[in-house]
Amino acid sequence: MSDEDLRTVTVSEFVGASPAGVDDGLQGPSLRARARLRELVLQLRDDLPSITDPHARNLFATTADLLVALDEAFADAQARAAGTRSGL
């Protein structure tokens, strides 16, 4: 997911993502977690230009990539809970 994608997706776009009447207890907490993950990814990537140590730059970049993967895992869990993805 690109930085531009992360910047354009907001929490409000996730609200109401579950089908009507579905309250599995996952949607609200998952939405909040995903929003915070995205904020942290943007912060880490925005800070990269100011970091001179190559090891620290690598740490920031790798952490951002891992958080994007974690966001995708949350999205998959939401989809499974909502029953919108078959075969997962």
Side-chain angles (χ1 to χ4, degrees):
M1 179 173 294
S2 73
D3 286 356
E4 191 59 36
D5 293 337
L6 289 169
R7 289 181 204 289
T8 58
V9 176
T10 63
V11 176
S12 62
E13 292 179 43
F14 292 118
V15 174
S18 63
V22 173
D23 183 13
D24 56 14
L26 176 66
Q27 295 301 322
S30 181
L31 295 175
R32 286 190 303 276
R34 291 184 68 200
R36 295 189 81 181
L37 288 169
R38 289 165 180 245
E39 288 174 18
L40 185 52
V41 167
L42 290 173
Q43 176 187 335
L44 290 165
R45 289 183 176 166
D46 286 346
D47 288 344
L48 277 175
S50 65
I51 301 171
T52 57
D53 177 47
H55 295 291
R57 287 181 57 85
N58 189 39
L59 176 63
F60 272 57
T62 301
T63 301
D65 292 343
L66 290 171
L67 292 174
V68 167
L70 187 56
D71 175 62
E72 291 168 0
F74 270 93
D76 289 344
Q78 281 180 271
R80 279 194 307 274
T84 59
R85 290 222 177 148
S86 60
L88 290 180

